[in-house]
Amino acid sequence: MKVLYPGSFDPLTYGHLDLVQRASERFGDVIIAILDNPTKVPTFSIERRIQQINSSISNLQGIRVISYRGLTVQCAKKYKVDLILRGLRAMSDFEYELQIAHTNRTLDNSIETIFLATESHHSFLSSSVVKEVALFGGKVDHMVPPIVATDLYQINNKNK
């Protein structure tokens, strides 16, 4: 079974990796799809995020990283996936993610979405929280893989 895990991954967190690993164990073939959203200014380029993710998943099998523009359902169709994977941290995530899942079904009812809850010790993690902690000089090593932490520290040292 092939699963598409879409997101910005800006930056990749241990919560994201938790879901990738568990999806890989359950479904085998996982495509991590980085949304290239022209309405947002990312911290890291698409190319750098691909490098960060590939470095962080090098010990896992059956996973590939792509980037895409446009609708997630179009990406899912292009790569012939069986399911779209979305992560949940808290009840507030569920409301938003359910809305997205329903919207995707109205666009293409052949595409199903599944939800996985992150492990509880990752439930506080979000990319925006990680970026804010790093911006103000806090440690993020326990929140993100080493390559991402290094990149965040380098960016924030340049901005001082």
Side-chain angles (χ1 to χ4, degrees):
M1 186 167 282
K2 193 184 298 185
V3 177
L4 183 78
Y5 182 28
S8 65
F9 306 101
D10 187 39
L12 177 72
T13 70
Y14 281 134
H16 294 130
L17 286 178
D18 169 47
L19 294 180
V20 168
Q21 182 173 359
R22 290 167 49 216
S24 175
E25 291 167 358
R26 283 158 184 76
F27 303 109
D29 193 1
V30 177
I31 299 172
I32 300 171
I34 303 171
L35 175 61
D36 184 4
N37 187 341
T39 66
K40 292 188 176 181
V41 178
T43 302
F44 298 111
S45 69
I46 291 285
E47 295 76 20
R48 188 59 187 157
R49 284 180 271 169
I50 289 171
Q51 292 169 348
Q52 291 169 339
I53 294 170
N54 279 326
S55 172
S56 301
I57 63 167
S58 62
N59 62 322
L60 301 175
Q61 300 295 313
I63 301 169
R64 66 181 157 151
V65 184
I66 61 155
S67 67
Y68 74 102
R69 274 192 168 196
L71 298 171
T72 300
V73 291
Q74 292 170 336
C75 181
K77 275 294 214 201
K78 177 181 177 181
Y79 288 93
K80 298 179 174 77
V81 301
D82 301 295
L83 299 166
I84 295 173
L85 170 66
R86 299 300 296 178
L88 300 173
R89 294 167 298 188
M91 202 57 194
S92 57
D93 284 349
F94 180 74
E95 290 179 34
Y96 172 76
E97 294 297 345
L98 185 62
Q99 181 181 20
I100 297 299
H102 286 316
T103 301
N104 286 341
R105 287 284 290 172
T106 68
L107 297 171
D108 187 332
N109 68 1
S110 70
I111 305 290
E112 293 284 354
T113 299
I114 61 163
F115 303 103
L116 279 180
T118 58
E119 293 288 344
S120 60
H121 58 278
H122 296 305
S123 64
F124 71 97
L125 285 176
S126 72
S127 294
S128 56
V129 165
V130 169
K131 287 188 277 193
E132 189 168 336
V133 169
L135 177 66
F136 291 107
K139 295 290 183 193
V140 295
D141 303 83
H142 62 294
M143 300 178 193
V144 297
I147 188 172
V148 177
T150 298
D151 286 353
L152 284 167
Y153 295 142
Q154 286 176 350
I155 284 174
N156 290 320
N157 284 334
K158 284 181 189 175
N159 294 334
K160 287 184 178 179

